[in-house]
Amino acid sequence: LFAKKNNGKFILRIEDTDKERSKKEFEDNIIESLKWLKMPYDEFYRQSERTENYKKHLEKLIKNGLAYLSKEEPKEEGERSEVIRFKNPNTKIKFHDLVLGEIEFDTTDLKDFVIAKDLDNPLYHFAVVVDDMEMGVTHVIRGQDHTSNTPRQILILEAIGGNRPQYAHIPLILSPDKAKLSKRHGALSILEYKEMGYFEEALLNFLALIGWNPGTDKEIFTLEELVQEFSLERIQKSGGIFNIEKLNWMNKEHMKKLSREEIEKNILEWLPKEMQNPKIVPIVYERISKWGDIKEMVERGELDFFFQAPEIDKEKLLYKNTSPEKITSNLELAVKALSDLEENSFSKENIKSALMLIADNLENRGELLHPIRYALSGALKSPDPFIIAEILGKNETLSRIQKAI
């Protein structure tokens, strides 16, 4: 957001100097995630392909006495007995953080820290500093867990003759109990959210508003609007909370922007082939906040009654203290009223009118509406019985009520 707002460049740099921890699938996941989020990068680099650059700077530091080869006592078998250490000038480092304000560190505590295993294997701190300088990075925006890395990186930067970028350390995303975000609370990969059926724009919208706000009550933004509104000044200092309910609400708000045709197309695509009936689209739409909810509804059997008559339990047909005879009589009146409707006018509005004429004359409407709902769905909680009846059609509706009688 910051790079786009300021007509800058967004650089994707794969920091893979740690060979044990760097796997091709991690890189693929990052690239695929940014592609899905519609966040194109302007430049792309892999640190593993830039070894010569780091080597050149390491040699220069050693030559100028700002770094040295250090003989080490290996702590474990197989560990190197020689590393390259940075000669710490033991000074105080001050820098202005665009989020946290003025920060000062006494670097004495860092001692002479390791910057490379050898000339061909720089460590993270050294490689990123060389890259920041050579790529003309003006702003380093990263998590607050990196704040303590900054003094080391500034020392290295000054030693290799680079210009100091602006630093902005942004709050970490926390779980609702303010602990570190765990997998259970949403710390999943971006592509897992894609698989769950979230909109990329909703996910970006949600993430942007964790720890930042536009200064207004507006909460639903497109990517273009976020770029326009974003400013580092409005980032909060304390951690932001990951709230899955908020994400689901936001996703539904983005869903509402779709046309009826797009909503129907998506819902039908997420339904199994045998359930792809356009008539159930409004019922499904009402009950979901992301496309993946459809899969869960199907797995829980919530849509089964549209496609096969449910098993009926006599006890559940009864309503409060109403006698079985009274329930039977009410259902018989319903059969008569619905039989009088023409097949082509068997709509939820007409069904509702016919049944409410009966229900409004009873001591309690539930004496009719409860058994009708249960007879049609086999569930005590289900969508509106008038909608169910319209979807099932006249013959199937009458057949299920007759079975209940």
Side-chain angles (χ1 to χ4, degrees), residues 310-338:
E311 289 301 312
I312 297 290
D313 174 350
K314 175 184 169 176
E315 296 303 316
K316 289 179 181 168
L317 274 166
L318 300 176
Y319 180 75
K320 295 186 176 172
N321 300 322
T322 316
S323 68
E325 292 75 22
K326 181 69 175 123
I327 296 283
T328 304
S329 160
N330 293 345
L331 289 175
E332 282 168 347
L333 288 171
V335 167
K336 186 173 182 327
L338 295 178

Side-chain angles (χ1 to χ4, degrees), residues 90-102:
N90 300 328
T91 57
K92 284 188 175 165
I93 290 283
K94 277 185 189 175
F95 67 95
H96 177 74
D97 190 288
L98 295 171
V99 173
L100 302 173
E102 297 303 319

Side-chain angles (χ1 to χ4, degrees), residues 123-142:
L123 297 188
Y124 162 77
H125 287 299
F126 188 75
V128 295
V129 169
V130 171
D131 286 346
D132 286 350
M133 182 179 85
E134 295 193 348
M135 293 170 194
V137 170
T138 57
H139 290 75
V140 173
I141 304 172
R142 56 190 180 189

Side-chain angles (χ1 to χ4, degrees), residues 158-175:
E158 287 174 350
I160 63 173
N163 292 323
R164 198 186 286 192
Q166 297 261 7
Y167 294 97
H169 289 93
I170 59 179
L172 298 182
I173 301 178
L174 307 173
S175 62

Side-chain angles (χ1 to χ4, degrees), residues 333-348:
L333 288 171
V335 167
K336 186 173 182 327
L338 295 178
S339 299
D340 289 343
L341 291 175
E342 293 294 327
E343 181 75 61
N344 60 6
S345 62
F346 203 74
S347 66
K348 60 178 186 282

Side-chain angles (χ1 to χ4, degrees), residues 249-392:
W249 170 80
M250 212 168 255
N251 199 68
K252 183 74 177 205
E253 292 301 305
H254 280 270
M255 195 184 277
K256 287 175 187 173
K257 293 178 179 183
L258 299 179
S259 67
R260 280 174 63 178
E261 292 74 24
E262 285 176 292
I263 288 169
E264 182 170 301
K265 179 178 168 284
N266 276 289
I267 288 176
L268 293 177
E269 276 174 6
W270 278 78
L271 282 167
K273 265 204 162 49
E274 67 278 8
M275 286 188 176
Q276 288 173 357
N277 180 343
K279 280 186 173 177
I280 68 169
V281 165
I283 294 245
V284 173
Y285 177 67
E286 219 175 84
R287 287 167 164 66
I288 61 171
S289 56
K290 60 183 186 294
W291 304 127
D293 293 344
I294 300 168
K295 201 174 159 206
E296 289 173 25
M297 284 174 84
V298 171
E299 283 167 2
R300 288 194 298 264
E302 286 176 30
L303 301 171
D304 290 356
F305 64 84
F306 286 116
F307 304 94
Q308 59 195 62
E311 289 301 312
I312 297 290
D313 174 350
K314 175 184 169 176
E315 296 303 316
K316 289 179 181 168
L317 274 166
L318 300 176
Y319 180 75
K320 295 186 176 172
N321 300 322
T322 316
S323 68
E325 292 75 22
K326 181 69 175 123
I327 296 283
T328 304
S329 160
N330 293 345
L331 289 175
E332 282 168 347
L333 288 171
V335 167
K336 186 173 182 327
L338 295 178
S339 299
D340 289 343
L341 291 175
E342 293 294 327
E343 181 75 61
N344 60 6
S345 62
F346 203 74
S347 66
K348 60 178 186 282
E349 293 80 14
N350 293 339
I351 295 163
K352 184 174 184 177
S353 300
L355 293 178
M356 291 312 281
L357 277 175
I358 304 164
D360 285 339
N361 287 312
L362 299 171
E363 205 172 302
N364 188 314
R365 288 173 173 184
E367 292 174 25
L368 174 70
L369 300 182
H370 168 81
I372 290 275
R373 180 192 291 271
Y374 181 66
L376 297 181
S377 67
L380 297 174
K381 281 184 178 175
S382 71
D384 183 323
F386 316 120
I387 296 174
I388 299 175
E390 178 185 16
I391 292 168
L392 293 176

